Amino acid sequence: MNNVKGLFAFTLILFVSACDNTHTPRESIKDILYPEVETQPVDTSGDAADDPAIWVNAQTPEKSLVLGTDKKQGLNVYDLTGQLRQQLPIGRLNNVDIRYNIDFNGELIDLAAASNRTNNSISLFAIDNLGKVSLLQDIPTSLPEVYGLCMYSDKDHQYVFINDKDGRYQQYQIINQQNKLSGKLVREFALNTQPEGCVADDLTGQLYMGEEASGIWMTSAKPLQSQIIKIADLDLMLHADVEGMGIYYFQQKPYLVVSSQGSNSYVVFDLENNNTPIGQFRIGTNSANNVDEVSETDGLDVSSANLGAQFPDGLLVAQDGYNQLPHAAQNFKLVSGTGLRQLIEQWTQ
Ligand code: CA
Ligand code: CA
Ligand code: CA
Ligand code: CA
C-alpha cells in the first residue's frame, strides 16, 4: 500500500514537473524557429524585461534597433547584435511602440511611445535618423493603473492606445502645437478583464487586442466608436495568458503573430482569411549561436522590412522569461523573419 502511495506521489511529482505551468507540452509543437541573437540581459532581476519595438533604420537597415522595456527601470536600446546602445532609466515602462516620419520642430522624426507605470502616463521619445533615442515628454492619462500600449498612424495623425489593468482603453491623438506635443483623448472603450498586448495595422486601420485570460479582440483603430469583435478564444493552440502581438506582412498579406504564454509558443492568424489560426511555433535553442530557447514570452514585435544581410525577411523579437546559457537576467531574443516567412508559406499552401 505504502509503495503504491509512494509510486502515486512520485508519478504525480513527475507529472507536475513535466507540466510545469504549460498546458501543451512544448515538445508536441513541431514547428520550431531558432533565435540568431539575444540581447544583453536587463539590469534588474526577476520578471523585468517586457516588451520590444523594432525600429527600422530606413537609410541603413542593418543599423536598425530594438527598443525594449525593463518594466522595473525604463527603456533599453539594442542593436541587431544584441548589444546595449542606450539606456533611458525614466520609470516603470511596460510596453513600447514606434511610428515613423512625424513632423516635429520642422524635421521628420520617428516617435516611440511607452506606457509609464510610474506616473500613469504615455512617455514619448524621439528617434533621430541615426537611431538616437531621447525623451520628449510624458503625456498624462486619466487611468489609475496603465498597462499595455500600442500606436496607430493614419495618413494625417498618430494615436496611442493605452489600457488600464481593469480593461479600459483610452485612445489619444498626438497633437503637435508650436512643437510641443500633447495628447487629446478621442475615444474610450473597455474589455471585461485585463488586456495587455495590442497592435494596430496602419494599412487596414484595425486594432487587435489580447485579453490575457480570454482571447483576442478586434476593433477599428480609427477614433470613432466601433464594434469590438472577438476573433479568437482560448483553444488548443492559444493558451492564457494571451500576451504580445505583432503583424508580419507576407506577399502583401497581414498575419498576426501572438504570444501564447501558457504554451510557450506563438500562434499565427491569417487576418485576410477570417482571422483563421493557421499554425503555431515555438522558439528553440540555437546551440550553434549559444542562444537559449524562449519561454513565457510577454511582449513581442515583428517586422517584415528587409534589415540587411542577416535579416532580409525581417525580424521577430520576443521577450524570454528564462534566460539561460548562462543563467542571467531576462532578455530579448531576435529570430530571423526568414523562418517565419517559410512557415507561413508552408501553412498557407
Ligand atoms: Ca511593443
Ligand atoms: Ca501580461
Ligand atoms: Ca530562455
Ligand atoms: Ca542566454
Side-chain angles (χ1 to χ4, degrees):
M1 195 64 185
N2 277 343
N3 279 346
V4 173
K5 266 190 196 161
L7 184 64
F8 177 73
F10 180 65
T11 310
L12 193 66
I13 288 165
L14 270 186
F15 178 74
V16 168
S17 59
C19 283
D20 199 14
N21 47 8
T22 70
H23 305 257
T24 310
R26 266 169 83 77
E27 296 66 33
S28 72
I29 298 167
K30 65 178 199 322
D31 289 313
I32 310 171
L33 299 180
Y34 297 94
E36 297 289 320
V37 169
E38 63 183 333
T39 66
Q40 282 178 233
V42 295
D43 285 349
T44 60
S45 59
D47 192 28
D50 199 82
D51 184 52
I54 299 163
W55 177 71
V56 177
N57 183 330
Q59 277 143 34
T60 321
E62 63 274 18
K63 290 192 176 164
S64 294
L65 299 169
V66 174
L67 277 55
T69 60
D70 174 341
K71 63 188 170 194
K72 295 177 173 172
Q73 181 176 283
L75 189 68
N76 292 328
V77 183
Y78 307 95
D79 64 23
L80 295 185
T81 71
Q83 201 188 331
L84 183 68
R85 309 301 299 209
Q86 215 188 325
Q87 221 167 18
L88 298 103
I90 62 143
R92 292 163 54 219
L93 301 187
N94 212 68
N95 291 64
V96 61
D97 203 1
I98 294 172
R99 285 298 182 272
Y100 296 87
N101 295 323
I102 289 141
D103 185 15
F104 184 69
N105 282 343
E107 57 176 327
L108 292 181
I109 59 159
D110 299 334
L111 193 66
S115 47
N116 188 334
R117 298 184 66 193
T118 299
N119 56 8
N120 288 306
S121 73
I122 300 163
S123 293
L124 292 178
F125 304 85
I127 310 173
D128 73 14
N129 55 15
L130 296 174
K132 185 171 177 290
V133 180
S134 41
L135 178 66
L136 292 172
Q137 69 200 74
D138 290 347
I139 289 182
T141 72
S142 51
L143 297 171
E145 204 173 4
V146 303
Y147 203 46
L149 171 144
C150 57
M151 297 177 80
Y152 167 62
S153 219
D154 62 19
K155 278 205 298 289
D156 307 308
H157 304 108
Q158 284 72 45
Y159 302 92
V160 174
F161 290 93
I162 187 164
N163 77 267
D164 193 273
K165 281 197 155 196
D166 70 7
R168 273 182 289 168
Y169 274 85
Q170 293 187 331
Q171 179 175 7
Y172 288 88
Q173 184 182 336
I174 304 299
I175 310 276
N176 182 8
Q177 259 177 339
Q178 273 104 46
N179 298 314
K180 168 113 176 95
L181 298 177
S182 61
K184 179 185 171 195
L185 182 62
V186 290
R187 179 185 174 194
E188 287 184 291
F189 56 91
L191 300 180
N192 284 334
T193 63
Q194 182 172 299
E196 184 178 354
C198 65
V199 64
D201 186 336
D202 291 355
L203 294 179
T204 62
Q206 295 294 333
L207 173 72
Y208 301 89
M209 300 163 280
E211 188 180 3
E212 291 183 342
S214 173
I216 303 168
W217 297 83
M218 174 179 101
T219 188
S220 169
K222 295 182 172 57
L224 310 160
Q225 288 304 334
S226 317
Q227 266 194 308
I228 303 170
I229 300 159
K230 197 164 204 188
I231 62 165
D233 281 306
L234 301 179
D235 61 12
L236 286 173
M237 288 204 280
L238 189 65
H239 293 271
D241 289 356
V242 179
E243 290 281 345
M245 51 186 68
I247 294 169
Y248 186 80
Y249 265 83
F250 172 57
Q251 293 178 336
Q252 280 90 52
K253 293 191 173 111
Y255 295 89
L256 185 69
V257 181
V258 180
S259 167
S260 167
Q261 192 175 49
S263 57
N264 295 305
S265 64
Y266 311 85
V267 183
V268 180
F269 296 84
D270 183 344
L271 297 180
E272 274 198 1
N273 183 18
N274 280 324
N275 310 307
T276 310
I278 53 170
Q280 72 178 143
F281 64 91
R282 59 188 174 98
I283 303 175
T285 297
N286 180 343
S287 306
N289 291 14
N290 211 31
V291 183
D292 57 297
E293 66 179 6
V294 185
S295 53
E296 291 187 17
T297 291
D298 284 318
L300 64 76
D301 197 13
V302 286
S303 169
S304 14
N306 179 342
L307 301 185
Q310 193 178 13
F311 301 112
D313 298 302
L315 183 63
L316 160 67
V317 180
Q319 182 261 2
D320 182 17
Y322 299 95
N323 182 15
Q324 310 288 343
L325 298 175
H327 178 77
Q330 289 183 339
N331 67 355
F332 299 93
K333 302 313 204 248
L334 279 62
V335 180
S336 169
T338 302
L340 180 59
R341 186 180 62 75
Q342 286 164 350
L343 282 181
I344 292 171
E345 206 165 10
Q346 182 190 312
W347 292 332
T348 54
Q349 253 170 20

